[in-house]
Amino acid sequence: MTRLTKLLAGSAIASMLTLPAFAMDVTIAQTSAVNTLDPHGSASVGLDLSVLSHVYPTLILRQPDYKLVPSLAESWEAVDDLTWKFTLVPGAKFANGEPLDSETVAWNIERVTNPDKPMRISSWFRQIESVNVISPTEFEIKTSSPYPALPAQLSMFMLLPPKWASEHDPVTETMSGFKYKMVENVPGDHITLEPNPDFWGTPAQFDHVTFRVIPETASRIAALMAGEVDLINKVPASEIGRIKESPKADAGAVDSTRSVFIKLNTEKAPLDNKKFRQALNYAVDKTLIAEALFDGLATVSKCQVMTPDYFGYNPDLKPYPYDPEMAKKLLEESGVDLSQTFEFELPASTYLQGEEVTQAVAQMFGDVGVKTEIQTMEFGAYLDKYRKAHDLGRMSLLGQAWATIDADGLLTLFKPGNQYSYWNDAAFDEQLVAGGSTTDEAARKAAYKKATEIMCDEAPVVFLYAQPATYGVSKNVSYKARGDDWMRAYDMTPAQ
Amino acid sequence: MKHFFKDLTSSKAGLFGAVLLVIIVALALLAPMLHLPDPTRGDLRARLAGPTWDGLFSPGAHPLGTDEVGRDILSRLIFGSRMTLMVACTAVVLGGIVGTILGILAGYKGGFVDKLLMRLVDIQLAIPLMLLALLIVAALGPSIQNVVLVLALTSWIRYARIIRAQVLSLREREFVQSAHAIGASTLRIMFLHILPNVMTPALVVGTLELARIIIMDAALSFLGLGVQPPTPSWGRMLADGRVYLSSAWWAVTFPGLAIVLTVLSVNLFGDWLRDYFDPKTRSAK
């Protein structure tokens, strides 16, 4: 035995002996700095909300398997189509002693639904009509139309202490009401959390949780492999194998809730031609992209923009097969003039390996005779074209997800009249209205089944794949990977 | 001409630069006749394949490996050189023409015109060139024309300054004075008598500018503001390959080498050219 291995063995025994006595610290690497500490001032799940979800309580929590579980709310139920009733954990308090009761929840909902002072997340709760406080632990939320995704939406809604918030600025300060409290905030560098001793639920597991900002992908990977950080995300698929070989870290990928597709602007000719849109779907070898570009970590979309985790996912649909001959035949039938060049917009470094996917797809389009010209642009410029100017190019690469993981939300982005839609299909609209007008699960599923069938056949997009959520994690902790962007210390436990 | 080549062969660095430059230009010009794989078409199955020398002349061989979408890197380098050289040369010539004309104008006319032009040069020198280029390309949208335009814009000031200094001394020389005395027009003096005498310094500035502009073009492409994919460009190849630096070194190493060698050859040749035309260093030899 060399001296080094002796030393290692010794320290291993020492650490085994000391583990039960001491809890440990974890460090989570984030891609950019936190913008605000106000949980109502940000919709950025992977960034601001992830940090704040350690400090502020929510009524409901979403587990890594996407199941909704009680947090401050012990239970909840739909009383009728327009009423949700919640029962709270009794005796919960903020660290400054303010009660976490029905009045506090009502004040928080009032804060984000006040039409005079709109917050960043106000649009989530536009359907809320009123909050009816029954007792300190019971209240009802009335909505103007059925809102089946309300519990899911509330899992992203954190509660501030009303009295404290009137005396302090929640944008720059925090007051803990959950597992951790913020002890240090160096903007742009790191935020350190310690357990909240007055927490009303299951206590925190780690002595310190640090969120560090490391923007460069290569640096994040290096920090993980050096043992400086315990959790990173957005790892390129081909780097996963290299991390796995390291003695200190592990890596992997799960399906995210984000689908990547080619958005077709059906408001511009000839993308209003259904046969042409279908031909484009036949022309792309989705399996090859998933296998070759993502080492098989991406899952080919089943002719819909939802992933299997969504409520309303249709398991019966099949992807358009890769069939260049069929594509050529449909192109001919469509009568579209193929001498033109189609602009193909690409938001730069936005989606995992998006540049590669775009070039691969452009080449496959070229193979069946559809000429494209790739136009790279900043994501901000792309969003302006998409949202403000409503002037999207005829083709563009886009990835979309909806945080409530519900068809009512993601499919709404394709609803006629929605500024994001660029597709006007009355039959599809009818099904979305049906799905959104009830809280009855069977009726909703039936409506979304029909909606997805229409969308598959009409093909307002070229369906591609579900983007993999890649991560790297140190061997000091065991981590339940999730595909919906949350980065939470309480999804981790010290490794045994 | 004979003296030119004799002097070149006696300078090792100059000769090395010249030979390298000739090879690069020849490869760029002859690219379509070399039976290379299509630089814009890749095979996803052969993605990030390492360099292999087996069956070098068979169609599936990739002597320098393939990039992140399975395109042959050698072919992309050679076709990319066409784009780089075309953009750089056009920008240098364009900047040269504008810079030389304005330099002669400032130097010969003097007075208000001189002051105005030289303050313009000062203002532009105060703005970081890369920032200026980024702003303009971002505003106008990335395209080859815009990149050429921007690069030419960053280049004219260097010509203007040096040409102006030359003209200031030429203006007092007898042949200019006598042309003036026999009543030659200002335009005639500027373009028939002065211009031929500043061609040499303009040429020297041009070669040195060429090297700078190749790097700047690569930087713009690296930032995604140059030629759009899948058209090959060296800077873009560097940018796209850098994610795979640890697993596929060839995707960045060869484009990087291509930029280094081209800039080096232009610089060496340019340095020698400057020495060759400079009477002081020439007589010292």
Side-chain angles (χ1 to χ4, degrees), chain A residues 216 236 238-239 242 285 288-289 292-295 346 353 355-356 359-360 363-364 367 374-376 378, chain B residues 40-45 47-48 68-69 71 76 142 223-224 228-230 236 240 242-244 246-247:
Chain A
E216 269 291 316
S238 54
E239 298 296 291
R242 193 166 70 90
D285 190 346
L288 178 64
I289 290 177
L293 286 184
F294 293 99
D295 290 349
L346 163 65
Q353 294 171 263
E355 278 77 359
E356 296 165 24
Q359 294 185 57
Q363 184 178 326
M364 291 168 189
D367 287 345
I374 296 173
Q375 295 174 355
T376 320
E378 286 300 311
Chain B
T40 60
R41 286 191 55 87
D43 174 10
L44 286 187
R45 287 175 200 88
R47 176 175 182 261
L48 294 173
E68 71 287 345
V69 258
R71 295 171 296 211
R76 282 181 75 71
L223 295 170
Q228 291 294 295
R236 185 91 202 186
D240 292 341
R242 78 184 195 282
V243 184
Y244 302 103
S246 56
S247 47

Side-chain angles (χ1 to χ4, degrees), chain A residues 370-390:
Chain A
V370 178
K371 287 195 284 274
T372 54
E373 184 195 13
I374 296 173
Q375 295 174 355
T376 320
M377 52 185 78
E378 286 300 311
F379 186 56
Y382 175 79
L383 270 190
D384 277 350
K385 281 194 89 174
Y386 183 21
R387 205 163 45 186
K388 272 196 210 131
H390 196 82

Side-chain angles (χ1 to χ4, degrees), chain A residues 207-472:
Chain A
D207 283 347
H208 293 93
V209 176
T210 308
F211 284 89
R212 253 182 74 187
V213 181
I214 310 180
E216 269 291 316
T217 307
S219 320
R220 275 203 306 283
I221 296 174
L224 175 74
M225 289 170 62
E228 286 171 32
V229 302
D230 299 294
L231 178 64
I232 63 172
N233 65 0
K234 295 185 182 161
V235 179
S238 54
E239 298 296 291
I240 286 177
R242 193 166 70 90
I243 298 175
K244 277 185 168 167
E245 282 167 19
S246 111
K248 284 186 178 162
D250 198 5
V254 290
D255 274 351
S256 75
T257 53
R258 185 175 298 278
S259 291
V260 175
F261 47 85
I262 312 294
K263 179 92 177 166
L264 305 175
N265 184 347
T266 68
E267 292 169 2
K268 288 184 182 170
L271 274 308
D272 53 353
N273 186 323
K274 176 175 161 184
K275 280 199 170 147
F276 182 65
R277 300 196 301 259
Q278 286 179 333
L280 294 178
N281 270 284
Y282 280 111
V284 178
D285 190 346
K286 279 106 6 197
T287 317
L288 178 64
I289 290 177
E291 293 294 323
L293 286 184
F294 293 99
D295 290 349
L297 296 176
T299 310
V300 174
S301 299
K302 278 193 167 177
C303 209
Q304 56 196 312
V305 290
M306 286 184 281
T307 65
D309 295 310
Y310 278 79
F311 180 88
Y313 173 75
N314 184 345
D316 302 328
L317 289 175
K318 298 230 159 20
Y320 280 88
Y322 172 53
D323 189 344
E325 292 314 311
M326 184 69 182
K328 281 180 196 158
K329 198 174 138 249
L330 280 170
L331 281 177
E332 201 168 302
E333 286 173 19
S334 73
V336 169
D337 170 23
L338 292 181
S339 64
Q340 59 187 316
T341 302
F342 291 86
E343 65 278 9
F344 193 160
E345 292 172 346
L346 163 65
S349 39
T350 305
Y351 303 112
L352 193 66
Q353 294 171 263
E355 278 77 359
E356 296 165 24
V357 172
T358 304
Q359 294 185 57
V361 170
Q363 184 178 326
M364 291 168 189
F365 283 169
D367 287 345
V368 296
V370 178
K371 287 195 284 274
T372 54
E373 184 195 13
I374 296 173
Q375 295 174 355
T376 320
M377 52 185 78
E378 286 300 311
F379 186 56
Y382 175 79
L383 270 190
D384 277 350
K385 281 194 89 174
Y386 183 21
R387 205 163 45 186
K388 272 196 210 131
H390 196 82
D391 181 33
L392 214 49
R394 286 182 288 182
M395 301 173 181
S396 59
L397 185 79
L398 184 61
Q400 282 177 331
W402 196 266
T404 61
I405 320 185
D406 195 301
D408 178 35
L410 189 59
L411 292 189
T412 313
L413 293 171
F414 296 89
K415 195 178 185 300
N418 188 309
Q419 57 177 342
Y420 295 100
S421 172
Y422 291 83
W423 179 48
N424 294 297
D425 191 284
F428 179 76
D429 190 30
E430 211 172 278
Q431 296 305 328
L432 285 201
V433 172
S437 62
T438 172
T439 48
D440 178 54
E441 291 205 354
R444 294 187 64 219
K445 273 190 178 149
Y448 293 130
K449 187 167 159 43
K450 279 191 199 133
T452 47
E453 278 164 10
I454 295 168
M455 189 163 167
C456 175
D457 181 57
E458 287 288 331
V461 303
V462 177
F463 301 97
L464 294 178
Y465 57 87
Q467 178 171 290
T470 54
Y471 64 93

Side-chain angles (χ1 to χ4, degrees), chain B residues 69-92:
Chain B
V69 258
R71 295 171 296 211
D72 184 59
I73 288 184
L74 177 66
S75 169
R76 282 181 75 71
L77 279 184
I78 293 178
F79 277 92
S81 72
R82 290 166 76 91
M83 194 54 76
T84 301
L85 290 179
M86 194 193 75
V87 167
C89 290
T90 319
V92 164

